[in-house]
Amino acid sequence: MTFAVIPHSSPMSPDQRAALLENPGFGRIFTDHMVTLKWTADLGWHDGKVAARAPFQLDPACAVLHYSQEIFEGMKAYRTQDGQITLFRPEENARRFAESADRMAMPRLPENLFLEAVEALVQIDRDWIPDGEGSLYLRPFMFASEAFLGVRPAAEYIFCVIACPVGAYFKGGAKPVTVWVSDSYTRAASGGTGAAKCGGNYAASLIAQAEASRHGCDQVVFLDAAEHRWIEELGGMNIFFVMDDGSLLTPPLGGTILPGITRNSIIALARQAGLTVVEQPYSFESWRADAASGRVRETFACGTAAVVAAIGEVRFEGGSFQIADAGTGPVTSRLRDELVGIQRGTVPDQAGWLHRLR
Ligand code: PLP
Ligand code: COI
């Protein structure tokens, strides 16, 4: 074991925990423990601990506070019907975390250490996994902790994992969402950090997300930075279109969008069901025209937090349009049910995506 376990001296009582788990929302409630691991240029990864969740003490010159050298992951632990605890494709999160680290000039965390850290936290806080529809959202992250104001990759980092019991990401639950297409802000340009899961990408997206909220929308849709024409992804999800010939279309991974693990799983499930999936650029004008003509039958967003959410209405500066009858279409429903079924152990896991905790 790489991580020394120092259990919380006064964890939350079962009654208090049960009250919080009744309506967890998303990202507001945290479990008792956290995992930490340090990296320094001389020692490498060291001082791994599972201990009571507590604030960090940071020097005001801590590099992350100035230059945002930070990356994170988002994944979920589930309790299956037979009472087992599972993670969904956590190896993919470990790999993407290492790739994000490369892009942000941070040290790679070996994938086995990433998995060990996540498992250790889920083990100790297993009573926090909600029953029923909920899950335990895990947030591994790493930041530059060196106190130094020169601009270069830091020489010290902290890796940490925290967890929160969560319900539905969107306040409307499983209802179709409304999205706002931003024509003034973009998320990532060619050569930038769009494919990395770094905090800076989200910082840059917040003004567009706030604009979306002002227009009564749940999420923002970003267009490409060069032409402001090609659909890329949402603030925190990838996007799929279901065409009238039954095929699925999704924007290609070209370095500017996040290579979503849900996106990859949906592509695999759709192909296995005999559907054609094309990864090809699709413009906002085409989406609008195809929604009007009926060529686009369904549109959905997907990601760990939201799982699969139908997009019912699209708003933009000067107008709006609906996707079909603005409900959840049959292809979206089928793919969502299948994915959720695999994650929760009610549908056979043919691809071996579930990682069971011992
Ligand atoms: N795109 C962005 C910008 C995201 O934040 C996320 C969520 O993690 C996704 C896509 C979906 O990725 P995943 O399916 O791996 O959660
Ligand atoms: C996730 O789905 O894990 C994300 O990080 C996206 C965010 C909207 C919570």
Side-chain angles (χ1 to χ4, degrees):
M1 176 63 166
T2 317
F3 299 92
V5 181
I6 309 148
H8 200 302
S9 56
S10 52
M12 196 162 287
S13 75
D15 284 353
Q16 275 178 311
R17 192 173 55 228
L20 288 174
L21 289 182
E22 252 168 50
N23 181 19
F26 189 94
R28 290 183 295 111
I29 297 164
F30 299 95
T31 63
D32 291 314
H33 296 87
M34 67 185 200
V35 177
T36 51
L37 183 64
K38 294 183 179 151
W39 188 91
T40 51
D42 52 343
L43 295 177
W45 291 107
H46 65 280
D47 201 14
K49 275 192 206 109
V50 180
R53 185 174 177 280
F56 290 117
Q57 230 187 9
L58 298 180
D59 190 283
C62 181
V64 70
L65 300 179
H66 301 272
Y67 311 127
S68 302
Q69 219 189 345
E70 190 267 356
I71 58 171
F72 67 97
E73 270 304 324
M75 53 210 289
K76 283 175 173 171
Y78 305 86
R79 198 187 300 282
T80 58
Q81 275 188 336
D82 56 3
Q84 286 206 351
I85 295 171
T86 61
L87 294 164
F88 183 71
R89 307 186 75 183
E91 307 79 10
E92 295 299 314
N93 296 94
R95 188 153 56 102
R96 187 169 65 188
F97 195 66
E99 284 162 8
S100 297
D102 287 346
R103 177 61 184 84
M104 301 306 286
M106 298 166 94
R108 269 185 169 232
L109 176 67
E111 292 171 29
N112 62 323
L113 271 183
F114 178 100
L115 293 172
E116 206 184 311
V118 166
E119 282 193 29
L121 186 62
V122 176
Q123 267 313 348
I124 198 161
D125 284 336
R126 58 195 297 143
D127 292 341
W128 284 91
I129 305 177
D131 288 325
E133 303 269 285
S135 53
L136 188 67
Y137 184 79
L138 299 155
R139 174 52 63 86
F141 62 103
M142 188 206 315
F143 61 91
S145 53
E146 187 187 8
F148 176 68
L149 292 185
V151 181
R152 57 139 171 83
E156 290 173 23
Y157 296 86
I158 294 176
F159 168 70
C160 178
V161 192
I162 54 174
C164 24
V166 298
Y169 183 72
F170 291 114
K171 59 180 187 314
K175 285 218 304 276
V177 298
T178 300
V179 295
W180 170 255
V181 180
S182 176
D183 63 3
S184 33
Y185 302 110
T186 58
R187 178 181 175 275
S190 169
T193 57
K197 207 160 165 61
C198 62
N201 286 342
Y202 297 80
S205 78
L206 297 178
I207 189 168
Q209 181 61 41
E211 189 179 76
S213 300
R214 270 202 310 281
H215 288 88
C217 296
D218 302 286
Q219 274 276 304
V220 57
V221 176
F222 286 108
L223 303 179
D224 75 292
E227 298 181 65
H228 289 223
R229 182 169 172 220
W230 305 101
I231 298 164
E232 297 230 304
E233 63 176 327
L234 277 54
M237 285 140 230
N238 293 115
I239 189 165
F240 280 82
F241 306 90
V242 182
M243 313 310 277
D244 60 355
D245 62 359
S247 66
L248 264 72
L249 191 159
T250 193
L253 302 177
T256 57
I257 69 175
L258 194 78
I261 296 161
T262 318
R263 175 188 181 279
N264 178 279
S265 309
I266 291 284
I267 293 176
L269 291 177
R271 288 193 175 142
Q272 198 185 297
L275 302 178
T276 301
V277 185
V278 290
E279 296 177 70
Q280 112 193 345
Y282 190 53
S283 68
F284 175 52
E285 328 138 44
S286 302
W287 188 20
R288 200 175 155 187
D290 292 345
S293 72
R295 186 168 172 253
V296 163
R297 289 271 168 85
E298 305 174 34
T299 303
F300 64 86
C302 69
T304 297
V307 197
V308 171
I311 294 176
E313 188 186 336
V314 183
R315 296 184 187 164
F316 53 96
E317 204 57 70
S320 69
F321 59 90
Q322 278 196 355
I323 310 295
D325 63 356
T328 301
V331 177
T332 303
S333 289
R334 202 170 87 204
L335 289 166
R336 182 177 63 197
D337 290 351
E338 188 165 3
L339 180 64
V340 170
I342 294 170
Q343 289 170 336
R344 300 198 171 267
T346 57
V347 167
D349 171 28
Q350 289 175 16
W353 285 339
L354 292 189
H355 180 98
R356 290 191 171 74
L357 252 69
R358 286 172 298 274

